[in-house]
Amino acid sequence: MQVGVINRALEQLVTNVVDALPRLITAFVFLAIAAVGIKAIMFVVQAVLKRSLPGESPVYRQFLSVIVLVFLWFGVALSFLSIVGLTAIAASLGTATGFLALGVSYALSEMIKDAVAGVYLLRDPDFNPGDTVKAGDTTGEVAAIELRKTRFRVDGDTVVRANAAIEERWTKVSAES
């Protein structure tokens, strides 16, 4: 009696594997094609970043490239799960990731705001290190402009201000004052 149960279980296993084989082959062919496609897309992304951000640090360009790469592979992973027949898991992962991204973006909103303002300040031809600037209650010489903050020299001290607060309203003080 036990031999019959084992034989039926093995037959069922073989039947299920044979039934799933076309989907598995399709999924792995998709992975191979996706890997080649992602490689080509990343080549283009890196070329565009190098051309559009020539003065930026290579680490900054690499960071942006990694973000694009993670999004691409995440999309491939969700598609792979759908092809294999695990659409409910793919949908759940996609939804959960969306909520997670929403929470992280809310938690980092001030930092993101400072970083975006920093990009504008770095690109602004009228706001450069060495300029004397009035930003809010601070008037001083711009010592350094970083992605999230700007350093001013004020009466021999260094004052650090968030870029979002500076970018909202600043005035360049003329050299003759």
Side-chain angles (χ1 to χ4, degrees), residues 8 10 18 42 51-52 94 96 101 110 113 117 133 141 143-144 174:
R8 277 184 292 183
L10 287 174
V18 168
M42 289 310 297
R51 188 173 292 168
S52 62
E110 287 301 314
K113 189 175 171 183
V133 172
E141 179 184 343
S174 68

Side-chain angles (χ1 to χ4, degrees), residues 10-154:
L10 287 174
E11 287 175 8
Q12 184 66 35
L13 175 67
V14 169
T15 302
N16 289 343
V17 168
V18 168
D19 289 345
L21 212 50
R23 281 187 292 179
L24 287 173
I25 291 171
T26 302
F28 284 109
V29 167
F30 169 75
L31 278 180
I33 293 170
V36 171
I38 287 175
K39 191 82 165 165
I41 290 170
M42 289 310 297
F43 179 78
V44 171
V45 165
Q46 289 170 348
V48 166
L49 286 173
K50 192 175 276 189
R51 188 173 292 168
S52 62
L53 301 171
E56 293 296 330
S57 166
V59 174
Y60 182 66
R61 290 193 302 262
Q62 184 179 5
F63 174 71
L64 293 175
S65 294
V66 167
I67 289 174
V68 171
L69 184 66
V70 167
F71 276 109
L72 290 173
W73 275 113
F74 184 71
V76 167
L78 292 181
S79 299
F80 177 82
L81 289 172
S82 293
I83 291 169
V84 171
L86 302 172
T87 53
I89 292 174
S92 296
L93 280 174
T95 303
T97 303
F99 282 118
L100 181 66
L102 184 64
V104 168
S105 67
Y106 180 73
L108 299 176
S109 62
E110 287 301 314
M111 188 171 80
I112 293 169
K113 189 175 171 183
D114 287 337
V116 170
V119 170
Y120 284 121
L121 289 174
L122 285 166
R123 299 276 182 229
D124 193 332
D126 295 324
F127 191 88
N128 296 304
D131 291 343
T132 302
V133 172
K134 180 177 190 313
D137 62 347
T138 304
T139 301
E141 179 184 343
V142 177
I145 308 167
E146 299 169 6
L147 196 57
R148 289 187 36 234
K149 57 192 170 211
T150 297
R151 299 177 190 280
F152 293 96
R153 276 192 223 71
V154 179

